[in-house]
Amino acid sequence: MDLNKEIQSLAKANGVFYCGVADLSRAKEFIMQQGGSELGSYPYSISLGIHLFKDIVDRLPDRSQHSVALNYHHCYEITNHRLDIAASIVASYLQDKGYRVLPLPASKRIDDERLCASFSHKLGARLAGFGWIGKSCLLITPDHGPRVRWVSILTDAPLETSHTIMDSKCGNCNACVDICPVQAFTGHGFKEEEPREIRYDAHKCERYINSLGEGEKIKVCGMCLYVCPYGQKNRHLQN
């Protein structure tokens, strides 16, 4: 069994639905700008993805109900935890074989001004061929839309990479743009050379989430996640 198949088998055994490898050379400058030279020294990233529970995401329009918000928040947190565990297991396996590895947290911000993590999991998943960046700035997969959480492992292991990067299939759809409570999305399609601000006002989104409640009230939106047709069209097929 080759190394790619070995890590795919290991990831699947740990509950991972998506597992693929990206060549980071075409994004090295961006990676270094966001995460620094250490992250830029790794030639490959392994993307692991788990799709969220459909019945929980489907209830997001009723997120003002405490039980709905609680279920989504728990689903989000436990899925991130599952991804972190799976990434640690896969990374340990590669390290034991003598390769450099850097498993990155599924959901940890390092920059409160730019509102970003050290590495874009969506970038890794896109370069691994799993989907495209939608108008919501989420990674859209053909099978589950944006209803997928991601984690990344940076490595120098000589893995076979995907060379197929999907073109956007959003077309004229503006469902995520129209449903956003604070119009945080401009409707502008993704272009590699353009900054995120052309498409998305992350600070406006952040302020809205923070305004949703005080005390024990759970702050949940996720309407862009809910409304995407690629997430809704196959809902009856999701596990």
Side-chain angles (χ1 to χ4, degrees), residues 131-229:
W132 64 93
I133 304 298
K135 296 176 183 178
S136 61
C137 280
L138 297 172
L139 192 284
I140 313 298
T141 67
D143 295 331
H144 299 98
R147 301 180 178 205
V148 182
R149 296 296 303 160
W150 300 95
V151 75
S152 307
I153 305 163
L154 306 186
T155 185
D156 65 354
L159 298 164
E160 182 179 348
T161 62
S162 170
H163 299 285
T164 303
I165 298 177
M166 293 187 192
D167 293 329
S168 173
K169 295 178 174 58
C170 292
N172 294 323
C173 178
N174 284 308
C176 59
V177 179
D178 295 337
I179 204 171
C180 179
V182 291
Q183 292 78 55
F185 308 117
T186 66
H188 194 78
F190 172 79
K191 293 182 180 179
E192 284 187 350
E193 67 276 11
E194 292 181 340
R196 182 180 65 177
E197 290 72 25
I198 296 291
R199 306 180 299 278
Y200 171 51
D201 188 333
H203 289 279
K204 185 182 286 189
C205 180
E206 175 94 343
R207 289 193 297 270
Y208 172 70
I209 294 293
N210 289 335
S211 74
L212 289 178
E214 298 179 352
E216 296 183 359
K217 187 172 182 181
I218 301 171
K219 302 173 182 179
V220 167
C221 182
M223 295 308 293
C224 54
L225 188 79
Y226 159 78
V227 78
C228 179

